Amino acid sequence: MSIERELNKRSGSKCELCGATENLKVYQVLPTKKGGIDESILACSTTCIDQIENPDNVDLNHWRCLNDSMWSEHIPVQVVAWRMLSRLRAAGWPQELLDQMYLDEDTLVWAQATGEGEDDENKVIHRDSNGVILEHGDSVVLIKDLKVKGSSMVAKQGTAVRNIRLDHENAEYIEGKVDGQQIVIITQYVKKI
């Protein structure tokens, strides 16, 4: 059964965040390990997904729906609700809703993996060679040949690296697969695609 069909069944063919019934799309909650239904939600693409991916488009009134969706039994929905409540708290929403949420330790680690909810002065920001901010799941291209330490492999200039992961302790390091091998890449040698 396809992920979209399973999510439609799980959600009753409604956005798992706001309850909309039109323009529904599978949204993978990054970072993912295996993909699939346990790391995805069904959400409306024109409102919820647009505002999740473009923080400048956030309509505070729309997210009143989190009063209900934050109590979802499905972990990916809880993760997205936690991230949005954290973002909205920074925009002046009350802390109470976020305080009411309970996430087990593994789920909280997943929710915090994108850096949402961290104070701006504590947040590690990854930037490519042009100063563009990099996020989990972005695609980058190498701007010079890189010798991979510990192997004879050379990652060639122009190689695309998809679905990158960020090192949350060092703003200069990202991870990605090149020729099927997971490697650490220094951000000054990549450009966001």
Side-chain angles (χ1 to χ4, degrees):
M1 187 184 289
S2 76
I3 293 173
E4 186 171 5
R5 195 173 311 137
E6 289 181 56
L7 288 172
N8 269 302
K9 185 177 177 183
R10 177 175 91 184
S11 69
S13 297
K14 293 180 182 173
C15 174
E16 293 185 275
L17 298 171
C18 73
T21 56
E22 295 182 12
N23 301 315
L24 300 177
K25 181 177 162 187
V26 175
Y27 178 75
Q28 266 197 331
V29 182
L30 299 174
T32 60
K33 293 180 183 171
K34 301 177 283 184
I37 190 169
D38 294 331
E39 295 179 350
S40 303
I41 65 171
L42 191 66
C44 58
S45 60
T46 54
T47 308
C48 289
I49 293 175
D50 176 59
Q51 293 183 39
I52 290 167
E53 293 179 342
N54 302 297
D56 295 337
N57 295 346
V58 170
D59 172 9
L60 298 177
N61 286 324
H62 173 75
W63 293 102
R64 293 179 190 275
C65 62
L66 294 175
N67 287 322
D68 295 325
S69 56
M70 67 186 262
W71 303 109
S72 173
E73 63 186 273
H74 305 292
I75 291 174
V77 178
Q78 294 171 12
V79 167
V80 173
W82 187 94
R83 288 177 183 172
M84 288 308 299
L85 286 170
S86 295
R87 185 182 298 172
L88 295 169
R89 182 195 59 185
W93 262 37
Q95 175 76 29
E96 292 94 36
L97 281 178
L98 196 56
D99 290 343
Q100 290 175 15
M101 278 193 85
Y102 170 78
L103 301 179
D104 65 47
E105 192 174 320
D106 291 340
T107 304
L108 184 58
V109 167
W110 184 18
Q112 294 172 332
T114 60
E116 203 73 61
E118 291 180 14
D119 295 333
D120 285 342
E121 69 260 8
N122 297 334
K123 198 180 235 185
V124 175
I125 298 175
H126 295 74
R127 295 183 185 271
D128 73 0
S129 60
N130 295 325
V132 176
I133 295 176
L134 299 171
E135 302 284 344
H136 268 284
D138 282 347
S139 296
V140 297
V141 65
L142 302 179
I143 61 170
K144 75 177 258 181
D145 289 353
L146 301 175
K147 173 133 178 49
V148 178
K149 286 186 179 178
S151 79
S152 60
M153 179 179 155
V154 174
K156 297 287 185 187
Q157 177 180 350
T159 301
V161 182
R162 306 204 186 289
N163 198 20
I164 63 168
R165 293 187 179 163
L166 307 179
D167 181 329
H168 286 289
E169 294 172 12
N170 190 328
E172 294 184 12
Y173 296 144
I174 60 172
E175 293 182 22
K177 281 191 176 182
V178 174
D179 295 333
Q181 183 177 346
Q182 189 80 10
I183 63 170
V184 174
I185 306 167
I186 299 173
T187 55
Q188 69 186 23
Y189 301 123
V190 301
K191 182 172 74 170
K192 186 174 177 178
I193 300 175

